[in-house]
Each structure stands twice: as C-alpha cells, then as structure tokens.
Amino acid sequence: MDAVFTKCERCGQPIYEKDLGARFNVCPHCEFHYPLSAPARLRLLLDRGSFEERDSGLLAGDPLGFDGYEERLKKARRRTGLDDAVVSGVGDLGGRRVAIAVMDFRFIGGSMGSVVGEKVARTIEHAYAEELPLLIVSASGGARMFEGVYSLMQLAKTSVALSRYVEGSWPYISVLTDPTFGGVTASFATAADVVIAEPGARIGFAGARVIEQTTRERLPEGFQTAEFQRDHGMVDRIVHRLALRGDIERLLGFVA
Amino acid sequence: MILEFERPIKELEERISGLHRLAGGSEGLQVEISRLEEALDAAKRRVYSNLSPYQRVQVARHPDRPNFRAYRDALTEDFYELSGDRLFGEDAAVRGGFARLKPELGGHPIVLIGHDKGADVKARVAGNFGMAHPEGYRKVGRFYELAVRFGLPIVLLVDTPGAFAGRQAEERGQAWAISADLMALSRAPVPVVSFVIGEGGSGGALAMCLADYVGMLENSYLSVIAPESCASIIFRDPGRAAEAAEALKLTARDLKDHGIVDEVLPEPLGGAHNEPEDAIDTVGDALGRVVSGLSEADPETLVAARHDRYRRIGERAMQDGTA
C-alpha cells in the first residue's frame, strides 16, 4: 500500500502522494496547482491510448560549446526520461484529432533551445499539413541561455511556422501553466486564437525578481498571476486543471 | 566617455595635440609629432584588432556611438515621422515613419524604424535608453502594417539593451506585443532589412530583426540576454560578465560564422564613435545595395524565403538521434 504523504506547500495540509497523482498534482484541500510533467499532461488531456508521439529522438547539440551545458543535458535526460523540454505528436481530445505539444518544466526549467523550437515548429507544421487544431501547453522559464543566440532564434523559427498555420482556418489554442516566461511568452505561447491559463500560474516576460532588482519597484500582490493577466486583458480564461479537457472540448466544438 | 582599454590611445592623442599647440607654425617638433602619430596608429591597431567580446559590448554601448538620428539624417531625406500605437500611447524609445533613401543610395521610399537612444541625457531618459514599452512594440507593428499596405520596404535600425523589466511593461503585455511583431514580420510581403547598429538585446531586438537581410556593425552585438544578467544567473556573479560575453558568442563575427546574420560591416579603426561618418557610410552602402536588390523581388517569394531562412536557422544546434 502506497501511504507516502507530503505536506502541501501552499495550505500546509497533509496529502497522500497517491491522491495528488490521481488529481494531476492539484492539492485536494486548497486546489493549488503544482507543476505537471508532460507525460501526465498528455494523459490528462487526450483520450486514453490515442497519443502518437512524433519527432522524438531530436537531441540538443552544444552549438556554442557552453561550459557545463552537456552535463546539464545529460542530467535532465536521466532525471526526466525525456529528450528535451517538450513532448509532441498527435492524439484525440474528446474524439477529435489534434496536434499537440506539451512542455515540461523539469527539463532545465522548460527552457527553449533549438530542440524545443524545432519540435514546436514541427507540431505546427503537422497541424497545418493534416488540417488539425493545434494545442500547445507551455511551462517555461524562458530562453535556454546555454544556446545563446540560437535560443533567441527559436522565437523567429516558431513565429514563421505559426504565421503560415494561421492563414488557414484551424484553431490554435495555447494553455499557459506555472510558470511561463521569457522567449516562450514572447513568441508562440501568446500568439494564439484563444489563450487559457491555469489558476495561479505565473505568466509574464521578465520575472518579478528581475523587475524588482531593475526598477526597485514594489510589485502588487498577485503580480503576473493568471488572474492578473486575465484582468489586464491578456488571457481569455482561467480553467481549473481538472476541467481543462472538457473546456477545450467545448471550445473545439465551436471552432474545429 | 573613455573606455578603460582606450586610455593608451587617448593619452597619445592628448600628447600629440599638446605638441601641436607648442609647435604653433614652426616645424621644430614635427619629428616628434610624426613619431607619436605612428605610435598612435599602432596602438589603435593593437587595441582595436584584439577587442574581447565584452569590450565590443562596451563599444556597442558607447554614448558617442552614432545613433538612430545620425543614420536617419545622413542616409534618408524627408523623414515623415508617425507616432503612437492607437491603443495606449506614444513611446519615444522607438521612432519611425516614411522616408526616402538619399538619391545616391537609390532614392527608394521606405518605412524607417529604429530604437532611439537619444543624444543627450534628457533624450536618453525620454526614450528609456532605447528600451521600448508595449506601446512601442505596438507602434512598430502599426508601421509594419502601413509598409505592407503601401508596398514599401521596411528598414530597421536596432539599438536596444533589450525589453524593459518593469511593472508597467508587464501590465500592458510586452510578451504579447513582441510576439505580434514577430508574427507580422513573418508574413509581411515586402522586403525587410535590418541593421544592428549598437546593442541587440534579446526579444526587444528580435522584434525588429526577423528580416530578409540582417547586417551587423563589427562592434555591435546580438544576444539572448545581457552578459551581466547571464553571468548572475549561470555563474551567480554579475562580475563575470566578460566570461559570459565570451560564452554567449554574441559578436557580429561569431553570428556570421554561425550563419545567423548575413554580413559584418567593418567599423573604422577606433570604433564607430571615433569616426561616425565612416560607420554611417558603410551602413548606407549596404542599405542602398540591399534595398535595391530586394525591391524587384516577388512578394510571395520573399515571404517564402524568409520563412525558410528562420525555419532552418540553427539546424546545426541539434543532433538527430533517429538518423
């Protein structure tokens, strides 16, 4: 019997890890949304057994020979069992086929390097070629510094791919989860037809700590949360993780 | 302002001008003056042909470096400035409007947009040191639309430390504003020509250099993050910025070698701030040549080529484990 329990970082209540897993890392007491791995997210969103992974096996090189990057990559691959910070492919959501890419924050902070950019671009291209709705779930600290300007160019790469997709009439739905920042928000994650965010997710371009250090401003309570972004007109809807699949299914009913 | 590594050069220059004053009209000190001038030339060569990446970043940030206004005045005529994003406000960090290249550069009408760092303290503050707010990116997006509507080439002069880390920039959605500009450039069926004339900081720069041609002045830089910030994140020590600048491969030469930009534009010995006219002429020659070359291109071919360029960029940064 698996009786390991942990304490909720937010409300302090004890939670059985089994219960937390069954609720896709949402606290049963206070509904706090913990980060969710890409494989678990795919289970949450897609019809059982429908996911077909695409473009696996792409591995980051070390284009700049950046000291320490190789080791970080090896460690992240070992720890997560993933090739990089995104898992992508096609699958069914409520019986409707979609192209999907899901980011995983555990892999070097979900940072976007060449592999993340390439897999996101290819997912967009699969959606375009096969006339499918596009769903991208983001979780990212921003650009992957170890790849220098190559990581910056991923903003351009994903944007050109997306600019072709949006000429068609298939929907692009972006889901922002905790945390989504930097190069990912400044490119594909915000350029969607509909932007959904999870409750409490921190979303922005520059992080709060950097802003405080740069401007010495005191930031308001709830700064850069999903709710803050919705109130500032940047996010369409805030949807509880356990209601997300149903919510997207409803949306696809209108636009797909 | 004198950069630390320029000090030996400045000292020689001062000694030479001192001797010129002493010598007056006489020829007595000519030998000594010639000797020092030779030494000066050698010192310039020594210092400027061996700049480290971080020294180049400092040259790129030099307050006397020719800025947007200098290029605008020297290379175009009849600049017809436009303002505002039609949503929130005006942002002096970026300027733009219609302009005509000088006749000797081909005389093409263009939409000219550039970061304006300003020439004095007041203008620098007004322009937030070239760091745009969301209304700046949205203003630029408006100008992209105007260029498309009237079939004019877009000419971009990039000189920004980067996006602004500030409360209001976040409240007004700077990430959304940047991604909209990237999408607009991705599909604009007109030539897009971009020059990095100084600093090319992160997403703020990229919103103005997703282009058919990107030229970089020799001592400009383009980077995903400022070297100081990179050092404090990766090395947990902002003092190691020189090391970070080295690792990031952010110089014009590095970026050309990595196939990210098209051309490195040589600067005069001593950097653009020492001979501004030379640097401006070099950019002008490239500008005239590139705009003339692209002005006859078929719009759809341009967009397709731009798509392929960025779609393929950095292919060598990956290994295909399945191949």
Side-chain angles (χ1 to χ4, degrees):
Chain A
M1 190 65 205
D2 186 10
V4 183
F5 74 89
T6 171
K7 207 163 100 175
C8 177
E9 284 168 32
R10 186 53 58 99
C11 69
Q13 297 266 18
I15 328 168
Y16 282 107
E17 282 190 353
K18 186 162 57 85
D19 292 349
L20 197 59
R23 301 191 85 232
F24 291 93
N25 287 1
V26 178
C27 174
H29 307 292
C30 70
E31 305 298 334
F32 180 71
H33 287 47
Y34 287 95
L36 190 63
S37 72
R41 172 76 61 180
L42 289 162
R43 281 198 301 281
L44 169 79
L45 292 176
L46 297 180
D47 301 348
R48 188 187 293 267
S50 72
F51 180 60
E52 293 167 24
E53 186 170 4
R54 299 248 181 109
D55 307 308
S56 63
L58 280 179
L59 299 178
D62 180 8
L64 308 184
F66 202 111
D67 197 25
Y69 184 34
E70 289 280 8
E71 289 76 63
R72 294 244 195 167
L73 283 168
K74 277 185 197 142
K75 212 171 111 192
R77 286 181 195 133
R78 204 168 45 233
R79 218 161 53 86
T80 61
L82 304 176
D83 294 335
D84 210 301
V86 70
V87 179
S88 61
V90 294
D92 299 337
L93 194 156
R96 211 183 290 267
R97 198 118 174 110
V98 298
I100 184 167
V102 176
M103 300 189 73
D104 196 312
F105 192 74
R106 297 172 305 159
F107 198 103
I108 318 187
S111 54
M112 175 159 66
S114 300
V115 171
V116 169
E118 181 66 21
K119 288 177 86 165
V120 166
R122 289 194 193 181
T123 306
I124 295 166
E125 286 162 355
H126 297 318
Y128 180 73
E130 294 162 47
E131 304 191 325
L132 297 175
L134 172 67
L135 179 58
I136 302 181
V137 183
S138 297
S140 175
R144 189 170 294 170
M145 269 172 282
F146 305 98
E147 292 190 20
V149 77
Y150 283 100
S151 64
L152 184 63
M153 289 302 142
Q154 304 313 309
L155 281 72
K157 189 201 273 181
T158 55
S159 295
V160 296
L162 201 51
S163 72
R164 194 167 277 183
Y165 178 76
V166 299
E167 285 170 11
S169 56
W170 294 91
Y172 166 32
I173 301 161
S174 171
V175 178
L176 310 180
T177 72
D178 186 63
T180 303
F181 279 89
V184 167
T185 38
S187 59
F188 62 86
T190 55
D193 296 304
V194 176
V195 180
I196 296 173
E198 287 195 332
R202 288 161 299 167
I203 300 157
F205 185 69
R209 202 160 38 95
V210 176
I211 295 169
E212 279 174 340
Q213 280 167 2
T214 310
T215 63
R216 316 239 168 251
E217 266 183 292
R218 172 123 16 121
L219 298 171
E221 188 77 19
F223 183 68
Q224 292 181 324
T225 56
E227 294 76 10
F228 171 98
Q229 296 295 5
R230 181 199 50 201
D231 294 348
H232 282 87
M234 301 298 153
V235 162
D236 289 291
R237 292 163 74 78
I238 294 173
V239 180
H240 191 287
R241 185 175 292 165
L242 299 178
L244 190 57
R245 176 217 277 262
D247 195 84
I248 296 171
E249 199 179 328
R250 266 178 69 206
L251 173 57
L252 289 176
F254 292 104
V255 296
Chain B
M1 191 182 96
I2 298 164
L3 300 170
E4 191 52 41
F5 56 86
E6 291 182 307
R7 211 164 286 282
I9 295 171
K10 290 296 157 197
E11 279 167 11
L12 280 169
E13 281 175 350
E14 276 158 25
R15 278 170 63 191
I16 292 168
S17 67
L19 284 179
H20 271 301
R21 270 199 306 277
L22 274 179
S26 82
E27 309 232 323
L29 292 168
Q30 272 316 318
V31 177
E32 178 64 2
I33 289 174
S34 314
R35 196 185 62 78
L36 284 177
E37 279 173 344
E38 272 168 39
L40 173 65
D41 202 52
K44 276 189 180 173
R45 252 170 237 294
R46 194 177 57 243
V47 169
Y48 269 91
S49 47
N50 291 300
L51 289 184
S52 72
Y54 195 52
Q55 285 172 333
R56 289 192 200 276
V57 170
Q58 289 166 283
V59 174
R61 291 172 178 166
H62 198 290
D64 299 334
R65 191 170 175 83
N67 61 19
F68 170 75
R69 296 169 194 222
Y71 288 93
R72 175 197 63 194
D73 294 345
L75 304 180
T76 72
E77 50 187 34
D78 200 18
F79 178 62
Y80 189 89
E81 185 164 5
L82 304 169
S83 312
D85 70 345
R86 301 293 188 271
L87 294 163
F88 179 83
E90 160 64 355
D91 187 346
V94 275
R95 293 189 183 279
F98 301 113
R100 201 170 284 108
L101 293 183
K102 285 262 167 82
E104 60 272 28
L105 301 179
H108 293 274
I110 58 169
V111 166
L112 176 70
I113 308 170
H115 297 102
D116 184 13
K117 282 191 175 175
D120 54 49
V121 175
K122 214 175 133 197
R124 279 169 198 285
V125 171
N128 197 29
F129 305 91
M131 290 179 282
H133 275 74
E135 49 275 24
Y137 298 109
R138 292 185 176 118
K139 170 169 95 168
V140 167
R142 253 193 79 217
F143 298 166
Y144 293 163
E145 279 175 27
L146 285 172
V148 170
R149 192 161 144 63
F150 301 109
L152 298 172
I154 299 170
V155 174
L156 301 159
L157 299 176
V158 175
D159 189 12
T160 179
F164 185 57
R167 179 173 61 85
Q168 299 194 342
E170 292 293 320
E171 286 174 345
R172 301 200 285 274
Q174 66 178 332
W176 282 256
I178 293 171
S179 72
D181 282 354
L182 294 175
M183 291 289 281
L185 286 183
S186 294
R187 60 191 171 204
V190 293
V192 182
V193 176
S194 181
F195 291 93
V196 185
I197 56 170
E199 295 191 84
S202 80
L206 190 67
M208 286 175 36
C209 64
L210 194 166
D212 302 310
Y213 164 95
V214 182
M216 284 183 78
L217 274 176
E218 185 184 351
N219 295 315
S220 66
Y221 77 91
L222 177 63
S223 180
V224 67
I225 187 168
E228 294 81 5
S229 311
C230 179
S232 60
I233 295 170
I234 304 251
F235 307 132
R236 307 202 178 281
D237 177 5
R240 290 169 69 183
E243 242 174 287
E246 186 90 40
L248 284 166
K249 304 282 190 289
L250 44 63
T251 68
R253 176 58 56 199
D254 285 327
L255 293 164
K256 172 82 174 83
D257 290 347
H258 282 270
I260 308 281
V261 303
D262 298 283
E263 194 173 16
V264 179
L265 304 168
E267 290 187 25
L269 200 61
H273 58 286
N274 274 307
E275 309 280 350
E277 292 78 15
D278 281 8
I280 292 168
D281 283 348
T282 305
V283 171
D285 288 346
L287 174 58
R289 163 170 50 84
V290 174
V291 168
S292 301
L294 292 173
S295 64
E296 297 303 313
D298 166 58
E300 283 184 21
T301 312
L302 267 180
V303 173
R306 196 181 309 142
H307 177 280
D308 291 349
R309 170 193 175 114
Y310 287 97
R311 188 59 195 80
R312 287 216 202 94
I313 209 157
E315 264 176 344
R316 60 207 247 195
M318 286 175 294
Q319 359 163 0
D320 192 339
T322 58

